[in-house]
Amino acid sequence: MRQRRETASAASKGSSSGEASKESSNGAESRTTVHVGNPRRSSFVWLALLLIITYSCSSIYHHQFQSMPVPLTAEEAGKRGFSEIEAFKHVKALTEVGPHPVGSEALHHALQYVLTACQNIKKTALWEVDVEVDLFHAKSGANYLRSGLFAGKTLVYSDLNHVVVRILPKYVSEAREQSILVSSHIDTVFSTAGAGDCSSCIGVMLELARGISQWAHGLKRAVIFLFNTGEEEGLNGAHSFITQHPWSKTVRMAIDLEAMGIGGKSIIFQAGPHPWAIENFALVAKYPTGQIIAQDLFSFGAIKSATDFQVYKEVAGLSGLDFAYVDNTAVYHTKNDKLELLKAGSLQHLGENMLAFLLHIGASSHFPEGNSTEAEEDMSKNNAIYFDILGTYMVVYRQKFANMLHNSVIMQSLLIWATSLVMGGIPAAASLGLSCLSILLMWVFALSFSFLVAFLLPLISSSPVPYVSSPLLAVGLFGAPALLGALTGQHLGFLLLQKYLLNTHLERRPLPPIIKAAVVKLEAERWLYKAGSFQWLILLILGNYFKIGSSYLALVWLVSPAFAYGFFEATLTTARLPKPLKLATLLLGLATPILISAGIFIQLTAILIGGMVRFDRNPGGTPEWLGNFVIAAFIAALLSLTLVYLLSFVHLSGAKRAIILATLVLFSLSLATVLSGVVPPFSEDTARAVNVVHVVDATRKLDEGQNPISYVSLFSTTPGNLNKEVEQINDGFVCGKDKTVDFVTFSVKYGCWTYNDTTNGWSEMDIPTMHVVSDAKGNGRITQVSINTKGSIRWVLAINTEEIEDFKFKDARNSEELISVYKKSSVDGWHIIQFSGGKNAPTLFDLTLYWRPGSIHNSDAPLLKLRTDVDRLTPIIERVLKKLPRWCSLFGKSTSPHTFSFLRNLPVNF
């Protein structure tokens, strides 16, 4: 008796077929004719698909992050609209002042410009609107932050000035009791005029204030614009406003504007703790841009930075939003943070979003009451998960809903997997294990190949980071090896899985060898695809357990491909033989994940590459290849996570050779570009970050007749030696690992020194002093130290916490206690006082030290370390700066010295 013919699959061209026979229970011969479609796919189809996906990712990125609104003139925007052209005038005026750090005359000019602009806004405001302008002088204060960049430090400030503007409806008396704070900083670091960070923010705020002054009669609460100074020295401007200004008591929400690059779209990278602000922003913003993954990276310390928003959250207990420009992050705090690189439309994007948002929440009948609206445990359930789609729509939902959604998907996925394994038995479990092994091999090979390039690159290239000025080079240098490694690893797993299936899984069903080989390949392909979803399921489980907001990425990369597989491929019967995976499965499965995540993945890669300019926080303290390892690991991880589905289609196609050849060609071209020097590592617009500091080292015992040492130290936070730079400067510099300097807040492990002409431009009268006034050794040892910074209004002092249990710090002029006795934190055995102030800041201080009981008095480590910075260019510094290569730029941050510094120590055994 002949049974019904069973068709296993139909191929597009050609097929494999055969006839199997067996004897039935009644002795009759039973024959099954099986037709299996040729599983081999066309290489042209696969390569075309890869090109389409690559083009789609690029288009999504450009639309989401690079497509800018058209700048409007004052006439086009109208009296109540936002005009980038008008805001740009403010940015231009502020950058023309030049660098304006705290304590400089240039900052005074910038402050006066902002004050005059605010007074003009007051004059032109609508008659039903009150505009109050306050030039606020902040007294001395101390800022203690529990976490982040400033943990283990006390940030002390004095003589700061801010411009504060309050705009409110004239006839709504209760508006004074509830305010919305919009904040940014006027000051810059010493190395840049700060077109991006943050003159662009100030320009936007001034134009916003003008627009609000025409609308505020319809608001129910006030809007306060804080133009602060001192942010670059430790968030001091925000702290002084919150702790000293009377209007701060009325603030119910804080919005901070920042820049970690220049221009582009200003994204929300911190929101909360209360979700009300981000929920309302998503409702009304014209071009909503924000990603919770940036917030996760920031909160986990992957992004080494801090903004005023930390003060508003930690000190004031406020909720709100933190915006930042993040394009071209390589120029951050360098000379290239300049007006010419500010992309047209950047100010319009932020301004229109902010104007719509402020008008909406200002007029809203519902507004969170108080500074903390919910208990901390309830707040964790209501943190907002947010992300934008193509910069046109923002998705926002709360953590409570995310928990329900994630748990539901996880439980259903586990149930499906459990059912599949029960139905398939031990062979299915073994196949899952081998397919997961292919994922593991994919990761191992992708990381290994890219790590090998990362390690070798500093040995053969003129710079360890030759891709900084041309980030696309990183695609060829690290992406190509990672793709090759991922394909190699997955293919090895495919071969192992295929061998297992050939030997055991299909023995239950006799098939001709040619049919069996084809069926095994098809079954292995399906297992690799399903293993990709299993990988994302594990990530979703981990993200859900640790309440990581960006777990939504794992959700979309799991659900969409799994749905496509279930819709086109899945079957509930084990009797049906597998078919080749359909192209529609891949297209439908990847469409949503690519749409949601491609743009942010590319943007994060660009930010990471730009960050290599300032990667080495202790110059010379990390291996030259370490920065490359970070880039390589990130790119390899992205490719291993996102290409897992796509590569499962490759093994049955003729595209493997073409892919290998293409990756090798791309890598070779990128490497040849680097080695030939056609594209230099740095350029005039993307410069290497360096510091040139005239150091007077007085750490030796001057009272015993030892003279201070004076030299110029050249060092760089960008990985790599300074031989090329020193050769061009040609002023007697000698480089090496022995040219180390302890700058208190960081240490230079590799640098270049010159002693040429270093005795000019200073005198011994400028050297700061630390004099022990008294040392009482009664029940508890207490030491009084007098510190004179000799005119320096920017300095850092490190206190040895292995010897000192606590201390207090006073202004010696008026005995004002700046730092009281309390339990202080430390980092690596040191607590650091970081001081900055205006021209009238104190320079004479009294320090009281309370020793630890039973301290060992280790004479090798100093008790106190002091560095004072002076705003002065000595003759040698002027000469070196003039000869500094154009591809180099001075780099400033709160912890780095200016161009002239004194070092002084007080030993333990004084």
Side-chain angles (χ1 to χ4, degrees):
M1 176 180 180
R2 186 174 297 275
Q3 292 183 340
R4 178 175 58 86
R5 175 179 296 177
E6 179 181 345
T7 302
S9 65
S12 57
K13 288 187 179 180
S15 64
S16 300
S17 63
E19 198 172 73
S21 64
K22 63 179 179 180
E23 195 172 281
S24 63
S25 56
N26 60 6
E29 187 183 66
S30 174
R31 294 181 180 274
T32 302
T33 303
V34 182
H35 294 268
V36 179
N38 185 358
R40 189 176 179 85
R41 295 187 182 89
S42 168
S43 61
F44 296 104
V45 173
W46 197 95
L47 291 173
L49 180 64
L50 181 61
L51 289 175
I52 290 171
I53 291 176
T54 303
Y55 177 77
S56 299
C57 291
S58 176
S59 299
I60 289 169
Y61 166 71
H62 280 89
H63 187 84
Q64 187 170 5
F65 291 102
Q66 301 298 314
S67 177
M68 297 294 158
V70 177
L72 300 180
T73 63
E75 293 74 19
E76 292 170 329
K79 203 171 183 179
R80 296 182 173 183
F82 183 92
S83 166
E84 172 170 312
I85 304 304
E86 295 302 306
F88 186 83
K89 292 177 182 178
H90 299 306
V91 181
K92 186 173 185 293
L94 289 170
T95 54
E96 286 175 348
V97 172
H100 36 282
V102 170
S104 67
E105 186 65 26
L107 180 59
H108 173 73
H109 294 316
L111 197 71
Q112 289 301 313
Y113 174 85
V114 173
L115 178 62
T116 301
C118 291
Q119 289 169 340
N120 290 335
I121 291 171
K122 180 176 181 177
K123 293 175 183 177
T124 59
L126 193 68
W127 67 273
E128 296 177 281
V129 175
D130 268 341
V131 177
E132 303 170 7
V133 180
D134 179 28
L135 179 59
F136 175 61
H137 179 262
K139 300 179 295 183
S140 299
N143 185 3
Y144 318 98
L145 295 174
R146 300 186 299 271
S147 59
L149 201 62
F150 298 110
K153 295 182 179 180
T154 302
L155 308 168
V156 183
Y157 54 85
S158 181
D159 190 34
L160 298 180
N161 292 289
H162 320 308
V163 176
V164 192
V165 178
R166 180 162 67 174
I167 304 175
L168 68 164
K170 187 173 292 185
Y171 303 112
V172 183
S173 57
E174 59 270 21
R176 294 180 180 273
E177 304 305 317
Q178 287 192 340
S179 303
I180 303 160
L181 176 67
V182 183
S183 170
S184 191
H185 62 95
I186 304 173
D187 62 306
T188 70
V189 293
F190 78 98
S191 54
T192 178
D197 185 19
C198 211
S199 296
S200 59
C201 311
I202 298 299
V204 168
M205 283 175 58
L206 287 171
E207 178 63 5
L208 277 174
R210 185 206 57 77
I212 294 291
S213 71
Q214 305 300 319
W215 279 99
H217 62 289
L219 302 186
K220 297 180 180 179
R221 49 195 59 87
V223 179
I224 296 174
F225 291 91
L226 170 62
F227 304 88
N228 72 65
T229 64
E231 190 274 349
E232 295 292 6
E233 298 297 339
L235 319 181
N236 296 328
H239 185 270
S240 60
F241 171 80
I242 287 297
T243 56
Q244 298 182 28
H245 200 285
W247 293 352
S248 67
K249 305 299 185 292
T250 69
V251 175
R252 297 294 176 265
M253 179 178 296
I255 301 162
D256 183 50
L257 307 184
E258 257 296 351
M260 289 183 283
I262 182 167
K265 290 188 175 181
S266 182
I267 70 167
I268 297 173
F269 71 104
Q270 291 191 94
H274 196 281
W276 191 85
I278 186 69
E279 289 171 345
N280 281 270
F281 177 84
L283 285 175
V284 298
K286 191 174 181 179
Y287 316 104
T289 307
Q291 296 287 341
I292 185 117
I293 189 171
Q295 178 172 312
D296 288 340
L297 292 172
F298 200 83
S299 59
F300 293 150
I303 300 175
K304 301 291 185 183
S305 189
T307 72
D308 285 338
F309 193 66
Q310 183 178 356
V311 173
Y312 301 137
K313 281 205 310 181
E314 284 190 19
V315 180
L318 295 170
S319 291
L321 302 176
D322 200 5
F323 292 80
Y325 289 114
V326 294
D327 263 22
N328 206 352
T329 56
V331 309
Y332 177 67
H333 283 190
T334 69
K335 67 178 182 181
N336 292 317
D337 185 2
K338 56 189 178 182
L339 208 60
E340 293 81 356
L341 298 182
L342 184 59
K343 187 179 299 181
S346 302
L347 307 182
Q348 193 71 40
H349 174 266
L350 176 58
E352 288 198 50
N353 281 344
M354 281 294 299
L355 184 59
F357 176 55
L358 290 174
L359 293 176
H360 174 73
I361 62 174
S364 175
S365 56
H366 171 69
F367 200 73
E369 293 292 333
N371 293 352
S372 182
T373 56
E374 296 183 34
E376 189 172 341
E377 57 271 16
D378 295 329
M379 192 68 73
S380 64
K381 297 179 182 178
N382 280 326
N383 287 334
I385 312 299
Y386 58 93
F387 57 92
D388 71 273
I389 300 175
L390 298 180
T392 57
Y393 181 76
M394 179 169 280
V395 177
V396 182
Y397 53 93
R398 299 193 179 192
Q399 184 67 54
K400 187 175 182 179
F401 174 78
N403 293 341
M404 294 170 55
L405 179 62
H406 294 174
N407 287 331
S408 174
V409 171
I410 289 169
M411 294 304 296
Q412 291 181 61
S413 299
L414 292 176
L415 181 61
I416 292 171
W417 274 107
T419 304
S420 175
L421 294 177
V422 169
M423 292 177 64
I426 295 177
S431 298
L432 175 61
L434 288 172
S435 60
C436 289
L437 176 62
S438 74
I439 300 294
L440 181 62
L441 290 173
M442 183 180 180
W443 277 83
V444 168
F445 277 80
L447 289 170
S448 298
F449 284 19
S450 54
F451 280 171
L452 180 62
V453 175
F455 181 77
L456 293 177
L457 201 56
L459 303 178
I460 60 177
S461 170
S462 61
S463 169
V465 286
Y467 43 81
V468 169
S469 65
S470 301
L472 281 177
L473 280 176
V475 176
L477 293 172
F478 304 120
L483 175 59
L484 185 61
L487 178 60
T488 303
Q490 195 185 66
H491 191 67
L492 287 175
F494 174 77
L495 295 177
L496 292 173
L497 180 59
Q498 184 180 328
K499 183 176 181 181
Y500 169 78
L501 292 173
L502 190 63
N503 292 336
T504 62
H505 186 44
L506 295 178
E507 289 180 356
R508 296 174 301 171
R509 187 170 193 170
L511 292 172
I514 189 172
I515 301 297
K516 181 183 290 187
V519 168
V520 162
K521 290 179 180 179
L522 295 175
E523 187 69 19
E525 178 186 62
R526 287 171 169 260
W527 274 109
L528 290 184
Y529 185 94
K530 291 188 287 186
S533 65
F534 192 78
Q535 169 185 245
W536 284 105
L537 174 60
I538 292 173
L539 291 177
L540 180 61
I541 292 172
L542 292 173
N544 188 58
Y545 179 79
F546 291 106
K547 300 294 185 292
I548 299 174
S550 46
S551 298
Y552 78 90
L553 291 169
L555 182 71
V556 296
W557 279 93
L558 166 64
V559 172
S560 184
F563 172 80
Y565 183 87
F567 187 78
F568 288 112
E569 312 288 352
T571 176
L572 295 177
T573 174
T574 58
R576 195 182 81 177
L577 295 179
K579 300 178 182 180
L581 288 174
K582 298 178 179 65
L583 191 62
T585 303
L586 191 65
L587 292 174
L588 179 63
L590 295 185
T592 301
I594 288 175
L595 179 68
I596 289 176
S597 61
I600 187 60
F601 285 159
I602 295 173
Q603 181 76 346
L604 287 175
T605 305
I607 292 173
L608 197 60
I609 291 172
M612 289 298 107
V613 167
R614 51 191 180 276
F615 177 78
D616 207 347
R617 302 183 73 83
N618 292 290
T622 57
E624 290 187 340
W625 46 260
L626 186 60
N628 290 336
F629 266 52
V630 174
I631 301 289
F634 185 78
I635 292 176
L638 276 186
L639 293 180
S640 298
L641 286 169
T642 57
L643 294 185
V644 62
Y645 299 111
L646 183 63
L647 290 182
S648 66
F649 277 65
V650 176
H651 308 291
L652 298 186
S653 74
K656 290 192 291 293
R657 289 184 179 178
I659 294 172
I660 292 172
L661 180 61
T663 54
L664 290 176
V665 168
L666 178 60
F667 172 72
S668 300
L669 289 175
S670 302
L671 188 61
T673 302
V674 168
L675 297 181
S676 65
V678 173
V679 178
F682 311 103
S683 66
E684 194 165 357
D685 286 338
T686 307
R688 179 178 190 177
V690 300
N691 287 87
V692 184
V693 186
H694 190 158
V695 179
V696 177
D697 186 349
T699 57
R700 300 187 297 173
K701 296 183 178 180
L702 302 185
D703 54 353
E704 294 181 5
Q706 299 185 35
N707 295 322
I709 302 171
S710 179
Y711 54 89
V712 173
S713 175
L714 170 67
F715 56 91
S716 175
T717 56
T718 309
N721 64 57
L722 291 161
N723 296 339
K724 191 175 180 181
E725 288 78 6
V726 164
E727 181 181 345
Q728 179 157 330
I729 295 171
N730 190 27
D731 214 320
F733 279 97
V734 177
C735 304
K737 289 282 187 180
D738 58 331
K739 305 300 187 231
T740 61
V741 188
D742 183 356
F743 280 111
V744 183
T745 50
F746 69 97
S747 295
V748 175
K749 304 296 184 181
Y750 164 85
C752 306
W753 287 9
T754 182
Y755 295 96
N756 291 354
D757 196 22
T758 57
T759 58
N760 295 324
W762 64 279
S763 69
E764 292 197 7
M765 297 296 293
D766 297 325
I767 299 175
T769 61
M770 291 190 288
H771 174 64
V772 177
V773 178
S774 65
D775 186 28
K777 299 180 181 179
N779 294 332
R781 186 178 179 184
I782 302 174
T783 301
Q784 301 277 351
V785 180
S786 175
I787 300 175
N788 188 346
T789 62
K790 294 291 183 72
S792 172
I793 52 176
R794 185 182 190 268
W795 50 265
V796 287
L797 175 70
I799 300 173
N800 188 338
T801 54
E802 293 184 0
E803 302 286 345
I804 302 302
E805 184 174 35
D806 210 337
F807 64 88
K808 63 181 178 182
F809 192 70
K810 291 183 178 182
D811 179 351
R813 297 178 307 176
N814 53 21
S815 297
E816 179 187 1
E817 189 169 89
L818 301 176
I819 305 176
S820 58
V821 174
Y822 71 101
K823 189 174 182 180
K824 301 175 180 69
S825 60
S826 63
V827 175
D828 298 328
W830 298 92
H831 183 90
I832 292 178
I833 302 173
Q834 192 168 308
F835 182 93
S836 70
K839 293 181 178 180
N840 297 318
T843 58
L844 189 61
F845 305 92
D846 292 329
L847 175 65
T848 304
L849 301 174
Y850 301 91
W851 293 70
R852 291 188 180 277
S855 60
I856 58 175
H857 305 329
N858 183 3
S859 59
D860 293 334
L863 182 66
L864 303 175
K865 298 190 294 184
L866 175 66
R867 185 195 86 217
T868 60
D869 299 328
V870 181
D871 186 14
R872 185 188 307 170
L873 290 179
T874 59
I876 178 63
I877 291 294
E878 281 194 275
R879 191 164 70 242
V880 171
L881 292 181
K882 286 179 181 178
K883 294 189 288 185
L884 198 65
R886 61 180 179 80
W887 67 80
C888 292
S889 169
L890 294 182
F891 175 68
K893 56 182 180 179
S894 65
T895 56
S896 63
H898 286 184
T899 52
F900 190 30
S901 293
F902 292 94
L903 302 178
R904 191 72 192 262
N905 284 356
L906 181 67
V908 171
N909 296 324
F910 52 80

